[in-house]
């Protein structure tokens, strides 16, 4: 009794990956009233932080107190771990990880929206955060020159581009885009909690390491959240870009299919096809038939001028010629034997000996020479 092999767990996983799902009906977020209220509140918080730092208010004193506390000296046992943890806020490594995941989603869902939304969010983040960084020119804790100052307007000094925190804003956008693009409400809740934990921990890690002021982290959180809340306004632009790219892809595929030449059908092997006739073939055949026997090799072929119309060469399949009979084959060797004549063998055939006759003796007892 023959039994079919049972699929293993790895086979079932690959079978699920190989299935081609239909393009889902994506729930594109819209700019609702609730989102508008959140955007306005976050923008107000953003402007308040900037004004508090520019006017050297109580927030600047809190920055100096956290800096002089030196958390990396208070808890040195976690310093090595947090050196690696802060990488989760760097733009390069996080962009590679999220791009790989969103690229797989684009392939599975047959849509370009996840990659286009992520690229739009990163572009908006770099423009807004970069403009504020270089516009305010605030120096970091390691480059501070005067205790109690806000360290602003240091455009031409080293480390004067840390306000707001780029690590924190990038962590909010990079991990928050996963919750923004989630396809189910349950997944959106879980990913929102995960992105909040990642962005909060990365921001506080920069304060622990002494690379950012506390106000830098607060403004970084607000900057990243503003980018995520403003994405629904850019959804129509993302949709148009996706349609344009898909249309260009279809045109490229159609152009590639139009350039492929049509294949010519082959003739069956058993049916012989006549050779293409050329000018002068009939005359040459008649001249060879009229020539005497043996003169065919000496008579030069008749050359006629080529026809004005160009002859086409086609692939033909000739039937095999009949095998000649043995009697029709030409003689390979001339008649007679090819061995040289031997006189001694001929004498043996006639009965004559090969030794010379005895000579008569002379009077002295010697033979006559």
């Amino acid at each position: 009794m023959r039994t079919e092999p049972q699929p293993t767990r790895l086979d079932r996983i690959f079978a699920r990956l190989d299935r081609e799902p239909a393009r889902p009906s994506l729930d594109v977020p819209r700019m609702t009233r609730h989102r508008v209220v959140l955007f306005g509140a976050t923008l107000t918080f953003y402007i308040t932080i900037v004004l508090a730092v520019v006017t050297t208010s109580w927030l600047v004193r809190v920055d100096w107190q956290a800096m002089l506390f030196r958390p990396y000296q208070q808890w040195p046992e976690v310093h090595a771990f947090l050196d690696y943890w802060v990488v989760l806020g760097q733009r390069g490594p996080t962009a590679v990880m999220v791009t790989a995941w969103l690229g797989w989603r684009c392939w599975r869902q047959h849509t370009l929206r996840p990659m286009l939304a992520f690229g739009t969010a990163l572009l908006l983040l770099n423009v807004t955060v970069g403009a504020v960084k270089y516009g305010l020119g605030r120096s970091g804790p390691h480059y501070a020159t005067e205790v109690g100052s806000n360290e602003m307007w240091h455009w031409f000094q080293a480390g004067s581009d840390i306000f707001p925190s780029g690590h924190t804003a990038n962590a909010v956008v990079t991990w928050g885009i996963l919750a923004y693009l989630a396809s189910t409400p349950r997944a959106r809740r879980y990913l929102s909690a995960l992105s909040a934990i990642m962005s909060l921990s990365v921001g506080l890690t920069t304060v622990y390491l002494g690379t950012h002021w506390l106000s830098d982290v607060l403004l970084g959180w607000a900057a990243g959240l503003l980018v995520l809340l403003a994405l629904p306004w850019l959804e129509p632009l993302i949709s148009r870009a996706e349609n344009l790219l898909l249309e260009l892809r279809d045109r490229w595929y159609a152009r590639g299919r139009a350039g492929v030449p049509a294949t010519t059908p082959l003739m069956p092997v058993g049916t012989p096809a006549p050779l293409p006739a050329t000018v002068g073939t009939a005359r040459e055949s008649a001249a060879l038939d009229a020539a005497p026997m043996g003169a065919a090799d000496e008579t030069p072929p008749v050359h006629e001028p080529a026809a004005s119309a160009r002859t086409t060469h086609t692939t033909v399949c000739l039937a095999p010629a009949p095998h000649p009979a043995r009697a029709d084959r030409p003689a390979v060797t001339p008649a007679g034997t090819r061995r040289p004549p031997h006189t001694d063998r001929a004498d043996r055939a006639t009965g004559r000996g090969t030794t010379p006759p005895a000579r008569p003796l002379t009077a002295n007892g010697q033979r006559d020479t």
Side-chain angles (χ1 to χ4, degrees):
M1 181 178 179
R2 184 176 180 181
T3 59
E4 297 293 334
Q6 296 295 331
T8 62
R9 184 177 181 181
L10 186 61
D11 294 336
R12 290 193 296 268
I13 292 175
F14 281 128
R16 292 185 61 184
L17 292 178
D18 289 338
R19 287 186 300 180
E20 287 291 337
R23 182 172 178 176
S25 57
L26 301 177
D27 184 15
V28 179
R30 299 180 180 180
M31 185 57 77
T32 60
R33 182 178 301 178
H34 178 69
R35 190 180 290 268
V36 171
V37 172
L38 286 178
F39 183 84
T42 307
L43 182 61
T44 303
F45 179 76
Y46 187 96
I47 296 174
T48 302
I49 296 297
V50 173
L51 292 178
V53 173
V54 170
T55 57
T56 316
S57 64
W58 59 270
L59 186 57
V60 176
R61 293 194 297 271
V62 173
D63 288 340
W64 277 99
Q65 290 175 3
M67 181 263 188
L68 296 176
F69 181 69
R70 291 181 174 86
Y72 56 88
Q73 292 182 358
Q74 303 295 329
W75 302 285
E77 59 274 5
V78 295
H79 193 284
F81 171 75
L82 294 180
D83 275 338
Y84 292 100
W85 184 258
V86 78
V87 177
L88 296 176
Q90 290 184 359
R91 188 171 295 110
T94 56
V96 170
M97 291 186 289
V98 175
T99 300
W101 167 252
L102 295 181
W104 184 81
R105 280 193 58 185
C106 289
W107 176 72
R108 291 290 293 170
Q109 297 179 353
H110 305 282
T111 178
L112 299 177
R113 179 176 170 268
M115 291 296 296
L116 292 176
F118 182 51
T120 303
L122 287 183
L123 179 62
L124 187 60
L125 174 69
N126 292 333
V127 171
T128 55
V129 173
V132 177
K133 275 178 175 289
Y134 293 104
L136 297 178
R138 189 183 188 188
S139 299
H142 294 307
Y143 300 94
T145 56
E146 184 181 353
V147 177
S149 66
N150 56 7
E151 300 294 332
M152 300 285 289
W153 326 119
H154 298 164
W155 295 294
F156 303 104
Q157 294 183 6
S160 59
D161 54 350
I162 53 96
F163 183 68
S165 171
H167 275 71
T168 307
N170 185 73
V172 173
V173 172
T174 303
W175 303 112
I177 198 69
L178 300 179
Y180 178 83
L181 296 172
S183 56
T184 60
R186 182 179 180 182
R188 186 175 294 110
R189 287 194 299 268
Y190 287 143
L191 291 175
S192 298
L194 176 64
S195 62
I197 293 173
M198 297 292 291
S199 58
L200 287 172
S201 61
V202 169
L204 295 177
T205 301
T206 59
V207 177
Y208 168 85
L209 297 174
T211 57
H212 279 286
W213 306 100
L214 182 59
S215 57
D216 299 342
V217 176
L218 296 177
L219 197 63
W221 285 333
L225 189 58
L226 284 176
V227 171
L228 292 178
L229 292 174
L231 273 182
W233 278 327
L234 302 176
E235 284 293 342
L237 180 61
I238 294 173
S239 180
R240 287 196 295 268
E242 180 185 8
N243 295 333
L244 178 61
L245 291 176
L246 293 178
E247 184 180 356
L248 292 177
R249 183 202 62 179
D250 295 339
R251 290 181 181 178
W252 184 72
Y253 282 163
R255 184 180 302 176
R257 287 193 298 267
V260 177
T263 57
T264 57
L266 298 178
M267 299 179 61
V269 179
T271 58
L275 292 174
T278 57
V279 178
T281 305
R283 296 181 182 178
E284 292 177 4
S285 301
L288 291 176
D289 294 339
M293 200 66 172
D297 298 334
E298 300 175 359
T299 305
V302 180
H303 296 282
E304 295 289 342
S308 59
R310 188 175 297 176
T311 59
T312 59
H313 299 277
T314 58
T315 304
V316 295
C317 302
L318 299 179
H323 191 72
R326 186 177 182 86
D328 298 337
R329 296 179 186 177
V332 180
T333 57
T337 179
R338 292 178 294 177
R339 297 178 181 178
H342 296 278
T343 55
D344 55 344
R345 295 180 182 177
D347 293 342
R348 289 194 191 100
T350 55
R352 288 178 295 182
T354 56
T355 57
R359 297 185 180 90
L361 297 176
T362 57
N364 297 333
Q366 296 180 355
R367 293 187 182 274
D368 188 7
T369 58

